[in-house]
Amino acid sequence: MFRTALRNVLAHKARLLMTVLAVMLGVAFVSGTLVFTDTFGSAYKNKSAKSFDHVSVAITPDGGTRDNDGQEAKQPDRLTDSLLTKAKDLPGAQSVLGSVSGFTAVADKDGKLVGGEWGTSGSNYFPGKDGKDPRYDFTKGAAPKSAGDIALDSRTADRTGYKVGDTVRYSTDGPVRTAKVSGIFDTDDGSVIAGGSLVVFDNSTALKVLGKSEYDEIDVKAAAGTSEAALKSSVEKILPKDTDAETGASLKADQDRMIEQNTSAMSQVLLIFAGIALFVGIFIIANTFTMLVAQRTKELALMRAVGASRRQVTRSVLIEAFIVGLVAAVAGFALGIGVAVGLESLMNAGGASLPDGPLVIGPTTILTALLIGVVVTMLAAWLPGRRAAKIPPVAAMNSVHSSPTMRGLVVRNTIGSLIVALGVVMLFMEDNYVKSGGAATILVGVIVLTPLLSRPFIAAAGPLLKPFGVTGKLARLNSVRNPRRTASTASALMIGLTLITAMTVVAVSMGSAINKMATDSLKADYAVSMANFQPLTPKVHEKLEKLPEVEASSALRTTYGEADGSYGRVTGVDPKAFGKLVGLDFTSGSLAGLKGNAALIDKDLADDKGLKPGDTVPVKFDDDKTVQLKVAGVYKSNEMLEGLFTPTAVVDPHLSKISDQQVLLKMKDGTSGKAEDAVVKALGDNPAIKIQDKDDISNEVGGAINLMLNMLYGLLAMAILVAVLGVINTLAMSVFERKHEIGMLRAIGLDRAKIKQMVRLESVVISLFGAVLGVGLGLFLGWVAGDSIAGTVTTYSMEVPVGRIVIFLGIAAVVGVLAAVWPARSAARLNPLQAIKAE
């Protein structure tokens, strides 16, 4: 039986080619993902390990972490020069280093922010006995020595073109400063490797400009012969209250775990899409083996007649699948290595700047790739093999191409209907996870019901095929001749378009919801904030409110507190200007009462505590002081406006440091280039400050959504490509199966052009059937997902992107035409006389 299976594989190389390609692409996606994430993780671990070379024991604030940018409120200074001196004098301590870091925006030569909004930071240069800081390896110039000097990382210097001696503009909390580049250095800092920027100041300047009164971390290096554990024991004896000590090995292990978690999360996302591609491939494999088995029915029956058991017949088909799967898996793994290299190049081209490192190909990756390819292929081939083994030998020898029995379709339709019914029931459950499961269940049910759905769809397409005459009629009849085959071919395309349509509906609807929210919530023309939304110095508002172009302005001064026991955001505003800057949807009360010790509260808090205008609500701030505030109005909250609003004078006494979260501006002549230029100039063309109008706010969120959507389109393209291979494979094998019939058609006068047209129309009908089904299911899944989102995003409502859906259907039609090129050409080239003699 093994020799028979091997002979069959070699005899049907061309017909198995598309199956091999489908499995190969799926395996390549999986193995490429695993190789890429292993390589990426290993390189990052090696890079991060170097940053711990100077750390034997790290001292941090209690609960703090390395490179902590924030300051803890109401805490005395702990990591001071005094502690640093004590650590330096400990037995077994070779050197001590104090580090600070914080947001530092650098402007390029065009005045634009370098390094992105979240990856731009500043740190200190802390020289040791040798005058060097082990964190920075200077390649040009020297370390900064005064407030007028800074040093830049080499990646930022390359991007911006800055050289030693150039003047650079930077900002940390609002005001723009200038300094000269004293040197350029290499660093293993993770944010720089990921595309950010790093500015280094001398130690005293760093503490001043970054607003630090103490170090974020003190690192102690052990002398030769002293273990980290022994040094940690010594350090623990001098620790101030509320500080921790941790060994460098422990910190490195934590860093490695974090890198593993991040790469694992990335890997899981990519593997989901690889799984989708493989799932689509299952339909192709099952289709191929079903048709191959059907074409060899007489041969299999003869084998049964001479003594082969059902098990042996099934095993023969599975051996074929094993060989095909193994070949595809090996080829897919080799292609996957190329995919991994391509992913790295693509991300580097996009500015990710991944760390350099050797390609990591682990034994687990190799085993996983081989197992996936073989197991998926054998599972998909098992049902056709089992079905072939169940045909009685005598019945099989009577007809080479026996039609599938209707009984199987009845059972399949019954099962599919029950699955869909179960999914519908799950949709009515309150739990969102159950609803998601219900949507997935319905998708599976529709896949099972696809043969039943194919007949009415193709019948409905009849009028569209009429203009093509006899070829249109033949294409329609061929499409419904074998509902199972048509269903399997269409399902592969349907799955990809279902996911694409659902994601597009949610993304478009979410973008519209953000636009509506910005339009309804903001009357202000501009919102001014730090680029990374860190606190903004009050000096920004002081400058802007004096501009002659500004009609009204208010700083939003945010803190947190407990309103009658409910912890939430408390925002201080200018009560006189606030009404001109925002559009609050009041359910009761108004802005008129927002003066003195008064507050506006959201409807959720009002309903929860039974509050109404005129009532008094106790608000306990983070400094443990409580203020009684009179409710002036109740409004409906959204993602832009939420929490409790009160005059700034109420909030200020409870802040350890006065700072604003945002400044809202209403311009006398509305938004314009002139108005924005006035704001930019007033702030000194500051790279650290972001100035946004309503469109900018919407586009920032919408741009992120579209970027994610485009990435998902790219990932799902693999599934669509596999589906296209399925259409080609089915048509090619169908043409081979219908040699005799095509020969008869040629003999009675159907020319080659008409034969090609018939095959093309059949391909287009099957592709459009899968596309229409996929778009319909995608709209349904988009509605289910939107129903969950609407509970949290108040302005969300489902929008159908008609233009994009038309494009999807157009692409499906093109897919049908392109997929039919090879099968149609093969059909047209058949010799009529030889085809008529074919069995």
Side-chain angles (χ1 to χ4, degrees):
M1 296 304 290
F2 177 78
R3 286 198 301 272
T4 303
L6 186 59
R7 186 204 67 194
N8 285 325
V9 170
L10 295 174
H12 300 126
K13 294 189 293 290
R15 277 176 271 174
L16 288 167
L17 177 62
M18 294 303 167
T19 299
V20 170
L21 286 174
V23 178
M24 183 182 75
L25 288 173
V27 171
F29 206 161
V30 172
S31 56
T33 296
L34 295 175
V35 170
F36 171 71
T37 51
D38 286 349
T39 301
F40 175 73
S42 174
Y44 251 118
K45 285 179 184 178
N46 292 337
K47 280 286 185 182
S48 67
K50 293 179 183 178
S51 66
F52 294 99
D53 289 347
H54 65 281
V55 184
S56 298
V57 177
I59 307 172
T60 59
D62 188 16
T65 56
R66 291 173 61 81
D67 297 330
N68 184 8
D69 293 342
Q71 289 181 320
E72 297 179 29
K74 301 179 294 181
Q75 288 283 359
D77 291 344
R78 293 153 295 181
L79 306 189
T80 60
D81 284 319
S82 173
L83 177 62
L84 197 143
T85 302
K86 289 180 183 178
K88 190 184 297 183
D89 294 337
L90 287 173
Q94 177 180 314
S95 62
V96 179
L97 184 153
S99 66
V100 292
S101 66
F103 174 73
T104 304
V106 178
D108 63 16
K109 292 183 177 180
D110 295 325
K112 304 297 183 183
L113 178 66
V114 180
E117 296 170 0
W118 303 100
T120 175
S121 60
S123 188
N124 65 323
Y125 189 84
F126 197 96
K129 294 177 182 177
D130 59 357
K132 296 180 180 179
D133 188 323
R135 295 172 295 175
Y136 315 113
D137 179 17
F138 277 82
T139 57
K140 295 176 183 177
K145 295 179 180 178
S146 67
D149 295 334
I150 61 168
L152 294 176
D153 70 90
S154 55
R155 292 173 189 260
T156 298
D158 289 342
R159 284 202 304 265
T160 58
Y162 283 131
K163 298 176 182 177
V164 174
D166 287 350
T167 299
V168 175
R169 299 170 64 255
Y170 72 92
S171 177
T172 57
D173 63 348
V176 179
R177 298 179 173 92
T178 58
K180 284 191 176 180
V181 178
S182 65
I184 294 169
F185 59 88
D186 288 335
T187 177
D188 297 315
D189 185 276
S191 63
V192 174
I193 293 171
S197 64
L198 179 62
V199 179
V200 170
F201 308 94
D202 71 278
N203 190 55
S204 59
T205 302
L207 289 166
K208 180 181 178 182
V209 300
L210 296 176
K212 307 283 184 175
S213 59
E214 61 174 345
Y215 296 106
D216 296 329
E217 179 175 310
I218 293 177
D219 298 327
V220 187
K221 174 72 174 174
T226 303
S227 68
E228 289 188 350
L231 183 60
K232 182 185 176 185
S233 297
S234 299
V235 168
E236 286 174 340
K237 294 175 183 177
I238 63 167
L239 287 182
K241 186 181 177 181
D242 297 325
T243 55
D244 287 330
E246 201 167 355
T247 64
S250 177
L251 289 170
K252 182 180 179 299
D254 290 341
Q255 183 85 339
D256 287 349
R257 276 193 295 272
M258 185 181 72
I259 292 170
E260 282 178 8
Q261 288 173 359
N262 291 338
T263 53
S264 175
M266 184 197 312
S267 176
Q268 285 170 11
V269 171
L270 292 173
L271 287 175
I272 286 171
F273 290 93
I276 292 169
L278 282 168
F279 183 62
V280 170
I282 287 174
F283 291 93
I284 299 170
I285 300 163
N287 236 7
T288 303
F289 277 93
T290 297
M291 295 172 76
L292 284 175
V293 166
Q295 290 166 12
R296 287 163 38 209
T297 303
K298 192 172 183 179
E299 175 192 325
L300 294 173
L302 188 59
M303 289 173 63
R304 288 289 313 282
V306 297
S309 66
R310 286 185 176 183
R311 225 175 246 184
Q312 284 179 309
V313 171
T314 304
R315 197 179 302 146
S316 173
V317 175
L318 290 177
I319 290 170
E320 289 180 51
F322 172 80
I323 295 168
V324 171
L326 186 62
V327 170
V330 171
F333 178 73
L335 181 62
I337 295 173
V339 169
V341 174
L343 274 173
E344 185 176 3
S345 300
L346 186 65
M347 293 186 74
N348 281 331
S353 300
L354 300 181
D356 296 326
L359 207 63
V360 178
I361 304 173
T364 305
T365 302
I366 299 172
L367 187 62
T368 301
L370 295 178
L371 278 176
I372 285 173
V374 171
V375 171
V376 166
T377 309
M378 291 182 70
L379 281 176
W382 175 76
L383 193 58
R386 185 170 174 272
R387 192 181 294 133
K390 290 173 71 175
I391 301 173
V394 176
M397 282 189 282
N398 285 336
S399 175
V400 178
H401 303 304
S402 301
S403 298
T405 61
M406 290 303 297
R407 181 176 173 275
L409 282 177
V410 170
V411 172
R412 178 170 177 163
N413 294 338
T414 303
I415 293 171
S417 300
L418 291 173
I419 293 173
V420 170
L422 175 63
V424 170
V425 170
M426 293 171 71
L427 285 182
F428 286 96
M429 302 295 182
E430 291 186 4
D431 189 278
N432 285 333
Y433 289 106
V434 177
K435 283 185 177 180
S436 301
T441 303
I442 289 173
L443 176 59
V444 172
V446 171
I447 291 172
V448 176
L449 285 173
T450 311
L452 178 66
L453 298 171
S454 64
R455 289 187 178 276
F457 174 85
I458 294 170
L464 299 176
L465 296 173
K466 263 191 177 180
F468 298 97
V470 68
T471 54
K473 184 177 181 181
L474 288 170
R476 179 175 61 81
L477 293 173
N478 288 335
S479 299
V480 294
R481 177 183 293 184
N482 191 325
R484 286 189 181 91
R485 185 185 304 165
T486 299
S488 297
T489 308
S491 293
L493 191 59
M494 179 195 76
I495 293 166
L497 283 176
T498 295
L499 297 172
I500 285 174
T501 303
M503 290 186 297
T504 302
V505 167
V506 172
V508 169
S509 301
M510 194 67 188
S512 296
I514 299 298
N515 283 333
K516 189 174 187 303
M517 192 184 299
T519 302
D520 294 348
S521 300
L522 289 180
K523 294 180 184 177
D525 293 313
Y526 295 107
V528 180
S529 63
M530 289 292 285
N532 65 342
F533 296 104
Q534 288 293 308
L536 193 67
T537 174
K539 293 178 182 178
V540 169
H541 181 230
E542 292 171 9
K543 285 184 179 180
L544 294 177
E545 67 177 346
K546 295 175 183 176
L547 287 177
E549 294 88 351
V550 172
E551 178 185 329
S553 68
S554 174
L556 303 186
R557 198 159 288 171
T558 302
T559 183
Y560 286 85
E562 290 183 12
D564 200 10
S566 294
Y567 193 76
R569 184 184 299 174
V570 180
T571 304
V573 298
D574 181 345
K576 294 179 181 178
F578 195 53
K580 297 178 181 179
L581 301 167
V582 299
L584 292 174
D585 184 6
F586 283 97
T587 59
S588 59
S590 68
L591 268 164
L594 188 63
K595 50 189 175 183
N597 280 9
L600 305 175
I601 64 173
D602 61 54
K603 189 174 182 297
D604 292 338
L605 177 63
D607 291 345
D608 184 41
K609 303 299 181 182
L611 297 171
K612 60 185 185 299
D615 291 346
T616 300
V617 57
V619 177
K620 183 180 179 182
F621 289 90
D622 280 348
D623 61 354
D624 291 333
K625 294 180 180 178
T626 301
V627 178
Q628 300 292 329
L629 298 179
K630 184 179 179 182
V631 177
V634 177
Y635 70 95
K636 292 180 181 177
S637 64
N638 57 40
E639 285 66 31
M640 287 189 171
L641 296 172
E642 61 178 356
L644 186 148
F645 293 98
T646 189
T648 305
V650 175
V651 173
D652 285 354
H654 307 284
L655 298 176
S656 57
K657 180 181 179 181
I658 302 295
S659 60
D660 301 328
Q661 195 66 32
Q662 203 173 41
V663 175
L664 299 181
L665 301 175
K666 180 76 173 175
M667 313 303 286
K668 290 178 180 177
D669 298 322
T671 56
S672 66
K674 183 180 178 182
E676 187 170 345
D677 286 344
V679 175
V680 170
K681 288 178 182 176
L683 298 175
D685 200 11
N686 196 324
I689 293 179
K690 183 189 295 187
I691 302 165
Q692 296 176 295
D693 60 20
K694 282 183 274 194
D695 287 341
D696 292 332
I697 294 170
S698 298
N699 291 337
E700 185 173 54
V701 180
I705 292 172
N706 286 329
L707 177 63
M708 181 183 69
L709 190 61
N710 290 332
M711 289 174 62
L712 295 178
Y713 282 167
L715 293 171
L716 283 171
M718 182 72 75
I720 299 295
L721 178 58
V722 172
V724 172
L725 293 176
V727 178
I728 297 171
N729 203 25
T730 300
L731 287 173
M733 297 188 71
S734 179
V735 166
F736 179 85
E737 189 179 90
R738 294 177 355 227
K739 267 186 182 181
H740 185 82
E741 176 188 317
I742 292 170
M744 290 294 294
L745 290 171
R746 288 292 314 281
I748 62 174
L750 206 64
D751 61 22
R752 287 186 174 183
K754 293 291 185 183
I755 292 290
K756 285 183 179 180
Q757 188 180 71
M758 177 186 73
V759 177
R760 278 198 297 267
L761 289 173
E762 183 181 346
S763 176
V764 170
V765 166
I766 292 173
S767 297
L768 283 177
F769 168 53
V772 169
L773 207 55
V775 167
L777 271 173
L779 291 173
F780 171 74
L781 294 181
W783 169 75
V784 172
D787 188 52
S788 301
I789 295 172
T792 53
V793 181
T794 54
T795 53
Y796 185 93
S797 62
M798 180 176 167
E799 290 196 12
V800 178
V802 177
R804 296 197 194 189
I805 287 174
V806 170
I807 291 172
F808 296 158
L809 294 175
I811 289 172
V814 172
V815 163
V817 172
L818 294 178
V821 170
W822 176 44
R825 188 165 175 267
S826 299
R829 293 178 65 186
L830 286 175
N831 185 298
L833 295 177
Q834 289 180 353
I836 289 171
K837 290 191 296 181
E839 291 188 354

